[in-house]
Amino acid sequence: QLQLVESGGGLVQPGGSLRLSCAASGFTLDNYAIGWFHQAPGKAREGVSCISSSGGDTLYADSVKGRFTISRDNAKNTVYLQMNSLKPEDTGVYYCAADWGHYCPGFVPFEYDSWGQGTQVTVSS
């Protein structure tokens, strides 16, 4: 059974940093593009970033460009999201999702096959 587990969320002050991890079990991530999504309270899930299966291509939402960095370590079967200069509007649950194939399918949730349970990020002073 394909399973993704996010970790690394928490409470951070504005301007702070967090690194989220998305670990896979039951399958290897080598053949999957991975996306990160953000769901703010009371709002729809929105795409934040995506990385191709090889790690050679990345995609970012305009709201996080220059602040967030996605990366992957296929040897560790893990994808990371480094979040810097965090803002209160970054608060919410962050989900990772896997799509079989090389290229990022973009930020349309139904394009992804498997989802993690999410990790809470709260940016507040």
Side-chain angles (χ1 to χ4, degrees):
Q1 182 178 357
L2 309 184
Q3 187 174 11
L4 296 169
V5 178
E6 302 94 336
S7 61
L11 173 64
V12 63
Q13 292 185 342
S17 298
L18 285 173
R19 188 177 81 157
L20 305 184
S21 298
C22 172
S25 63
F27 68 108
T28 60
L29 287 178
D30 300 42
N31 295 317
Y32 289 83
I34 302 296
W36 282 98
F37 288 77
H38 168 228
Q39 187 163 20
K43 295 189 177 181
R45 197 170 297 188
E46 297 181 336
V48 171
S49 185
C50 180
I51 189 166
S52 63
S53 61
S54 67
D57 296 297
T58 57
L59 185 66
Y60 295 95
D62 288 343
S63 60
V64 305
K65 281 180 182 177
R67 299 190 299 124
F68 290 10
T69 304
I70 192 170
S71 62
R72 65 191 299 155
D73 185 341
N74 286 346
K76 294 184 178 180
N77 225 23
T78 301
V79 173
Y80 304 98
L81 185 68
Q82 178 67 44
M83 305 189 298
N84 298 330
S85 302
L86 283 161
K87 304 176 181 180
E89 51 263 44
D90 295 321
T91 293
V93 179
Y94 284 77
Y95 299 89
C96 65
D99 177 60
W100 195 95
H102 174 73
Y103 297 104
C104 283
F107 294 144
V108 180
F110 72 75
E111 294 283 357
Y112 291 81
D113 308 312
S114 300
W115 291 80
Q117 83 292 343
T119 185
Q120 175 71 41
V121 171
T122 303
V123 184
S124 175
S125 55

